[in-house]
Amino acid sequence: MEVGTGSQAGSGFKEELFGQSTEAVGRTSTVTGSLTIAGSRVDKDTFTVDLASMSSDTDDVRRGRVRDRRGRPQAHPVNTIEAS
């Protein structure tokens, strides 16, 4: 199975913003990958996410913080996830 059109990857973290505790959530639709099923089990999966394209639906400050907190995309803009 391939990642389908409209798929998203997301991540969240807790932060303090203007003295209030809140949770920031970022998402990106720049996701590729595949999943292989053998019988009733996942045999192999690999997904690649472009962290630099991750954004929040709020203001520019939050968008930048979401991108920066997710693995320092300036140094590692693409993250590949493989489960075993």
Side-chain angles (χ1 to χ4, degrees):
M1 295 181 188
E2 298 289 320
V3 171
T5 302
S7 295
Q8 294 184 333
S11 183
F13 60 91
K14 292 184 180 185
E15 69 176 351
E16 188 168 312
L17 190 61
F18 304 115
Q20 295 187 344
S21 182
T22 184
E23 184 171 349
V25 177
R27 298 193 189 289
T28 181
S29 59
T30 309
V31 181
T32 59
S34 63
L35 172 76
T36 305
I37 298 174
S40 61
R41 298 178 54 108
V42 173
D43 184 48
K44 182 178 180 182
D45 63 349
T46 303
F47 300 96
T48 302
V49 179
D50 180 356
L51 298 176
S53 70
M54 191 169 283
S55 66
S56 172
D57 62 354
T58 58
D59 62 40
D60 289 338
V61 172
R62 171 66 60 80
R63 284 186 203 110
R65 289 176 64 133
V66 164
R67 281 193 303 269
D68 290 347
R69 295 283 297 264
R70 299 294 63 148
R72 305 294 180 216
Q74 298 83 357
H76 306 284
V78 176
N79 190 3
T80 299
I81 304 160
E82 293 185 30
S84 55

